[in-house]
């Protein structure tokens, strides 16, 4: 793991190998992910193997960040990868980019409930911006996810006029039409 930030009682590390990623899953990543997403407004859960594949894919072509508290407990995460690696999202936003290869998709972000409101997600977003090797960063969130929209605005992301409807069955067994909105950060703006 590469140490990226050590501040305000948190350390943020970047795994380099699948072994390191496996270790993160062993020490509680799945329950942290569930705490963030298998609740309102998402009620989303991936089978464990699929969640590992999603994160392994990020590690291969993009990067992951994991945050730990003073006692070494895993308390936050973020992940980004080249936009073109996510065909579905890239297709949605193609009219916005002359050069989509100049954009990363910041698809993952979450912090443990007990650590919210302490600036941890902002630290993860700032580090995401620093680690991104291209000038644009796209994020997508549920239209009513106020904490996510607000924090990204505060970090300098701006809404773009693209929305997406995802039809899916949530973990409550309901068929939902999830409206997602997009925001873009441009290092050159
Ligand atoms: C969104 C999330 C990552 C924020 O994490 P956090 O560690 O609490 O964020 P921070 O403490 O760094 O918050 C900084 C800013 O975020 C915004 N914010 C955080 N919580 C908020 C809330 N409940 N309502 C509105 N804005 C909020 C504010 O602008 C805040 O700045 P302020 O403290 O000066 O008001 C966290 O709530 C989370 O994990 N949610 C579940 C998963 C999720 O929705 N991830 C994003 C998917 S796109």
């Amino acid at each position: 793991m590469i140490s990226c930030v050590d501040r305000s009682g948190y350390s943020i590390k970047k795994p380099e190998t699948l072994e390191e990623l496996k270790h993160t899953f062993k020490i509680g990543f799945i329950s942290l992910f569930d705490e963030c997403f298998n609740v309102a407004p998402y009620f989303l859960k991936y089978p464990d193997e699929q969640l590992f594949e999603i994160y392994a894919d990020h590690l291969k072509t993009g990067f992951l960040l994991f945050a730990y508290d003073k006692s070494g407990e895993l308390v936050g995460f973020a992940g980004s990868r080249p936009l073109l690696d996510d065909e579905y999202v890239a297709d949605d936003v193609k009219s916005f980019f002359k050069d989509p290869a100049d954009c990363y998709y910041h698809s993952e972000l979450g912090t443990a409930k007990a650590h919210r409101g302490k600036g941890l997600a902002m630290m993860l977003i700032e580090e995401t911006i620093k680690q991104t090797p291209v000038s644009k960063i796209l994020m997508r969130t549920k239209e009513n996810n106020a904490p996510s929209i607000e924090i990204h605005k505060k970090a300098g992301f701006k809404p773009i006029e693209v929305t997406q409807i995802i039809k899916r069955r949530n973990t409550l067994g309901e068929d939902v039409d999830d409206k997602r909105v997009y925001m873009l950060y441009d290092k050159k703006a």
Side-chain angles (χ1 to χ4, degrees):
M1 290 261 194
I2 296 177
S3 283
C4 303
V5 187
D6 215 323
R7 205 175 71 218
S8 314
Y10 297 111
S11 58
I12 295 180
K13 295 181 181 172
K14 189 167 96 157
E16 292 183 286
T17 64
L18 282 176
E19 283 313 309
E20 288 170 341
L21 180 61
K22 274 183 197 154
H23 180 70
T24 310
F25 272 64
K26 228 180 251 168
I27 63 166
F29 177 67
I30 294 172
S31 44
L32 175 60
F33 187 90
D34 285 350
E35 187 179 317
C36 292
F37 292 106
N38 196 5
V39 291
Y42 290 97
F43 295 106
L44 169 74
K45 179 160 179 68
Y46 295 109
D48 294 356
E49 303 71 33
Q50 191 184 351
L51 187 63
F52 185 79
E53 279 312 309
I54 292 169
Y55 275 71
D57 281 350
H58 279 75
L59 191 62
K60 280 177 209 150
T61 61
F63 61 89
L64 295 168
L65 299 172
F66 291 108
Y68 301 85
D69 70 4
K70 276 185 187 150
S71 68
E73 193 182 333
L74 180 65
V75 291
F77 58 94
S80 294
R81 61 180 176 152
L83 171 63
L84 289 172
D85 286 355
D86 192 319
E87 285 172 31
Y88 190 46
V89 169
D91 192 51
D92 254 2
V93 296
K94 58 179 181 268
S95 61
F96 258 88
F97 297 99
K98 273 193 206 116
D99 178 12
D102 188 36
C103 186
Y104 261 41
Y105 176 40
H106 160 51
S107 55
E108 311 297 311
L109 179 71
T111 57
K113 274 187 190 153
H115 293 266
R116 290 190 188 155
K118 297 178 177 175
L120 178 56
M122 190 57 98
M123 283 171 63
L124 285 161
I125 294 173
E126 285 167 0
E127 191 57 26
T128 292
I129 293 170
K130 212 192 271 180
Q131 295 280 341
T132 303
V134 295
S135 56
K136 294 191 173 73
I137 306 169
L138 182 76
M139 65 79 68
R140 181 187 69 175
T141 192
K142 207 169 144 99
E143 71 167 338
N144 61 351
N145 190 344
S148 178
I149 291 172
E150 284 309 311
I151 195 172
H152 284 91
K153 252 189 217 162
K154 207 167 169 186
F157 284 72
K158 299 202 165 61
I160 62 171
E161 303 238 323
V162 181
T163 54
Q164 183 191 53
I165 303 288
I166 298 181
K167 287 186 181 297
R168 65 183 183 94
R169 177 161 293 181
N170 69 21
T171 54
L172 301 177
E174 300 161 340
D175 290 318
V176 290
D177 285 353
D178 263 358
K179 187 167 176 194
R180 302 286 163 94
V181 295
Y182 286 100
M183 297 172 85
L184 187 65
Y185 182 92
D186 188 347
K187 294 185 185 189
K188 290 181 183 158

